[in-house]
Amino acid sequence: MMKFITYIHVYLIQTLLNVLPFLWIDVFYDNQTYIGNQLHHPIYLFLWACSSAVGFYYYSKKIWEKYDISYNKKNHALICLGMILSCSIPYNDITLFKDLHVWLSILFVAAFIVEWFLYIPIALNKNSTLFFINIGLSFLFTFMFGHITGFCEIYFSFTTNILLHHWMLQD
């Protein structure tokens, strides 16, 4: 039953949540927080963040358990919860807090990537190589567009969850 639910998550929920921004914004300029704050769709933003973070949390956990890798369970949970929290912070005109949601998102996604560098060697197998190539492409898109755009967020969320899901289900 859980396997079926993960397929629903990755191929239906993630797809739907990552296609909607293409209908609302210029994904190559604006980002997801623009949808939540300026277009007044905070529930969408929260659902997108939850779906992404739950996938990152659950699929990573299952992969690390499959390889009997000792990982910090509390840190992993806090990092994924932090991703959701960062997307829940509204835009603020106060200079100090203006981009807090952006910097916290960057911090928690970076922590997630660092976790993977700590726990899974790049040369472990084909899946780990694909995972790290995906991270490299995510960075490339960010630098190519000059900032974190909706496309960068969508790409990372969608492809990372698909890759992790596929890896988790392999024997």
Side-chain angles (χ1 to χ4, degrees):
M1 181 63 172
M2 192 60 175
K3 186 176 178 181
F4 176 74
I5 292 171
T6 64
Y7 274 103
I8 295 294
H9 171 255
V10 168
Y11 295 107
L12 181 63
I13 296 170
Q14 276 289 105
T15 300
L16 178 63
L17 290 172
N18 283 297
V19 165
L20 285 173
F22 286 91
L23 305 174
W24 291 332
I25 63 171
D26 175 0
V27 296
F28 300 105
Y29 179 77
D30 295 316
N31 59 28
Q32 297 284 58
T33 55
Y34 180 80
I35 294 171
N37 294 315
Q38 275 71 27
L39 297 183
H40 309 291
H41 295 298
I43 293 172
Y44 159 78
L45 182 61
F46 180 76
L47 291 174
W48 176 80
C50 282
S51 177
S52 299
V54 164
F56 295 164
Y57 172 79
Y58 182 77
Y59 305 140
S60 297
K61 177 179 165 284
K62 290 298 184 184
I63 292 166
W64 295 336
E65 288 171 357
K66 178 195 296 193
Y67 291 99
D68 199 31
I69 292 171
S70 176
Y71 68 98
N72 190 318
K73 293 174 182 164
K74 288 180 186 175
N75 279 354
H76 183 59
L78 289 173
I79 286 167
C80 293
L81 285 172
M83 291 179 193
I84 298 167
L85 171 69
S86 66
C87 287
S88 301
I89 297 172
Y91 179 83
N92 194 318
D93 285 332
I94 300 170
T95 305
L96 182 61
F97 299 111
K98 182 177 180 180
D99 293 324
L100 183 62
H101 62 279
V102 174
W103 290 109
L104 285 177
S105 293
I106 292 169
L107 174 73
F108 289 115
V109 169
F112 174 75
I113 292 168
V114 167
E115 275 188 308
W116 272 91
F117 277 108
L118 291 175
Y119 302 134
I120 298 284
I122 293 172
L124 176 66
N125 62 28
K126 164 183 83 160
N127 292 312
S128 58
T129 302
L130 286 173
F131 179 80
F132 288 113
I133 287 171
N134 186 57
I135 290 171
L137 285 172
S138 296
F139 280 114
L140 177 70
F141 290 139
T142 300
F143 292 119
M144 188 170 79
F145 296 122
H147 65 286
I148 297 172
T149 64
F151 179 80
C152 298
E153 294 166 324
I154 291 164
Y155 177 83
F156 185 76
S157 167
F158 190 65
T159 58
T160 300
N161 271 305
I162 286 175
L163 287 169
L164 293 177
H165 180 260
H166 178 72
W167 189 356
M168 175 191 77
L169 294 178
Q170 285 186 336
D171 291 326

